[in-house]
Amino acid sequence: MVAADRARARMVDALRDAGRIRSPAVEDAFRAVPRHLFLPGLSIDDAYADEAVAVQFAEGVATSSASQPSMMAIMLEQLDLRPGHRVLEIGAGTGYNAALMARIVGPTGAVTAVDIDEDLIAGAAVHLADAGVTGVGLVVGDGALGHPPLAPYDRIVLTVGSSDIRPEWVAQLAPGGRLLLPLAVRGSQLSTALDLGPDGVLRSDSVRSCAFIRLRGLGASTDVAARLDGFRLMLQVAEDGPGPDAAEVAAALACPGGLLPVPVRLGSADVWDGFGLWLALTEVGTCRLLASDAETGLPDDLLPLGPGRGTIALATVRGEQPSGLAMVVAGPDRAEGSRASSVGVRVYGAAGPVLGVRMLTALERWLTAGRPGAAEWQMAAVPAGALREPLPPGVAVVRKEHCCLLLDMPGLPTK
């Protein structure tokens, strides 16, 4: 089909020109595999647009999607596939990503895609057959457990977000293998490529910001946001600390205070995975406020500042009195579609002014460190219970059920 070939060529050219596609192998895969055959209900233009496409819903919530092509390209570059690699994919989706990987690993390699949903596996099988793709095995199962019968794998990749690193995935990696997953880290979701060392420690090769539908089944995320009474907002807090209390945050929001100026302009990526990630790793009271409706009930136009229409805040932790909140809000000159705009820090409640000063101090440290974003962080993952302390200065620890994440950044203040 000439129209599809042209649309695919335009998409690949744009991904390459934008730096999303960097290697000949990934470019060849995108040029060879017809995405429209994996999205049969879409027009050719929509199938080759750089947009994610939800393909399954449950009670109005998307449970599976065809990922944005630019994000797929980023992750395939992170994965660094080679001919002959054995790959386990957790989250089959439409089968398109498995087809791209099969093209790269070639006839001497193998791709196994596991999904908890039988209907998705059946659909992926039809799409792969229509595209004439071979070398992909499809398995109905809980991806949290991996797929032991075909282990070990040179690469394991998740196309769904996870709040933890399951020991099953690590056990099924070949020595020196790479695990790539959208990993939840204090409210951010980071596409993290981790290489397995001989000491059993996973160390990051690359980290990128991302946003994926969450893993279902045994590995389902537990970091559910809490609704704030009286406001159309959800509160998201870290799983591994005392964290702010939803009722206390709502009470503070009912008592707005002054607006503290911020000396620099910030874009949504700065607020979310730049300064926002820095704050979350250095202040235990960090939280995210997410919009659940177009109107929030707050006086400031604070949304959208980050992915999913949300912002970063610093609050008193549970039980701490007096309570309060300091929140990044948009400035008056924010332009629609602007990459960066003025922002301020609005304080709420009796402890708000103190928290506002702490937030601005953290911002100054982030600026001094060079405004690092997700890509600048170095990460290591050790099994839970195997963490050796004391830790080197400037290392932030995120404790999860199955592992401890150690995040390192030059200039990170020592707690």
Side-chain angles (χ1 to χ4, degrees):
M1 185 184 296
V2 175
D5 291 343
R6 289 176 177 170
R8 184 161 67 254
R10 287 194 300 270
M11 179 190 77
V12 178
D13 289 346
L15 294 177
R16 182 194 58 200
D17 294 345
R20 306 306 188 193
I21 291 176
R22 304 194 311 273
S23 66
V26 172
E27 180 175 349
D28 170 73
F30 272 99
R31 292 196 186 279
V33 179
R35 189 175 192 243
H36 67 282
L37 296 183
F38 294 82
L39 295 167
L42 267 63
S43 68
I44 293 297
D45 286 344
D46 287 342
Y48 288 102
D50 191 23
E51 300 288 343
V53 180
V55 296
Q56 187 187 70
F57 294 86
E59 298 180 355
V61 178
T63 55
S64 181
S65 69
S67 299
Q68 185 180 13
S70 58
M71 191 67 232
M72 297 179 71
I74 289 170
M75 292 185 71
L76 285 174
E77 295 290 0
Q78 287 185 284
L79 201 54
D80 191 26
L81 292 170
R82 307 293 173 85
H85 270 169
R86 296 167 58 84
V87 185
L88 175 64
E89 179 186 42
I90 296 170
T94 65
Y96 179 54
N97 193 60
L100 294 171
M101 294 191 295
R103 174 77 180 189
I104 298 173
V105 302
T108 60
V111 176
T112 302
V114 177
D115 203 288
I116 199 170
D117 194 300
E118 187 173 354
D119 290 340
L120 288 174
I121 289 292
V126 172
H127 302 152
L128 290 163
D130 289 345
V133 175
T134 58
V136 176
L138 297 171
V139 177
V140 177
D142 192 328
L145 303 177
H147 188 58
L150 297 179
Y153 303 96
D154 301 292
R155 300 288 188 267
I156 297 178
V157 55
L158 276 70
T159 57
V160 284
S162 177
S163 60
D164 205 346
I165 297 175
R166 300 279 306 187
E168 293 90 345
W169 305 333
V170 182
Q172 292 171 38
L173 269 181
R178 177 168 294 182
L179 170 66
L180 175 65
L181 76 166
L183 182 61
V185 180
R186 296 277 174 85
S188 290
Q189 197 181 76
L190 306 178
S191 177
T192 309
L194 296 154
D195 293 334
L196 181 62
D199 56 357
V201 175
L202 292 162
R203 294 180 176 84
S204 65
D205 176 80
S206 61
V207 181
R208 300 288 185 270
S209 298
C210 65
F212 279 81
I213 290 171
R214 302 296 187 89
L215 187 69
R216 291 184 283 167
L218 290 174
S221 297
T222 57
D223 56 341
V224 179
R227 184 174 298 276
L228 295 180
D229 291 339
F231 302 93
R232 297 183 178 92
L233 291 172
M234 304 292 287
L235 175 71
Q236 184 183 59
V237 300
E239 296 178 70
D240 62 331
D245 177 77
E248 292 174 2
V249 169
L253 285 172
C255 302
L259 182 67
L260 306 179
V262 172
V264 294
R265 300 173 72 84
L266 300 177
S268 63
D270 295 323
V271 173
W272 204 255
D273 293 328
F275 172 57
L277 181 57
W278 177 277
L279 189 70
L281 292 169
T282 58
E283 290 280 357
V284 294
T286 300
C287 54
R288 317 255 179 162
L289 294 174
L290 313 175
S292 58
D293 204 341
E295 299 294 330
T296 65
L298 294 171
D300 295 287
D301 188 11
L302 70 139
L303 304 166
L305 283 179
R309 299 176 64 245
T311 190
I312 195 81
L314 183 61
T316 46
V317 297
R318 190 174 289 108
E320 187 178 359
Q321 295 297 329
S323 62
L325 181 78
M327 177 169 58
V328 175
V329 297
D333 66 340
R334 192 192 80 213
E336 188 68 30
S338 175
R339 287 183 174 271
S341 63
S342 67
V343 296
V345 172
R346 175 73 68 183
V347 300
Y348 298 83
V354 174
L355 292 169
V357 171
R358 279 171 53 185
M359 178 175 272
L360 292 177
T361 300
L363 176 65
E364 183 179 353
R365 289 172 174 165
W366 176 71
L367 294 171
T368 301
R371 301 173 67 122
E376 282 73 48
W377 287 91
Q378 298 293 316
M379 188 186 305
V382 299
L387 182 63
R388 296 181 180 178
E389 301 189 64
L391 297 171
V395 174
V397 181
V398 178
R399 301 177 189 274
K400 296 180 175 289
E401 180 183 358
H402 297 294
C403 73
C404 288
L405 302 178
L406 310 180
L407 290 102
D408 183 22
M409 169 61 62
L412 188 72
T414 302
K415 292 185 180 179

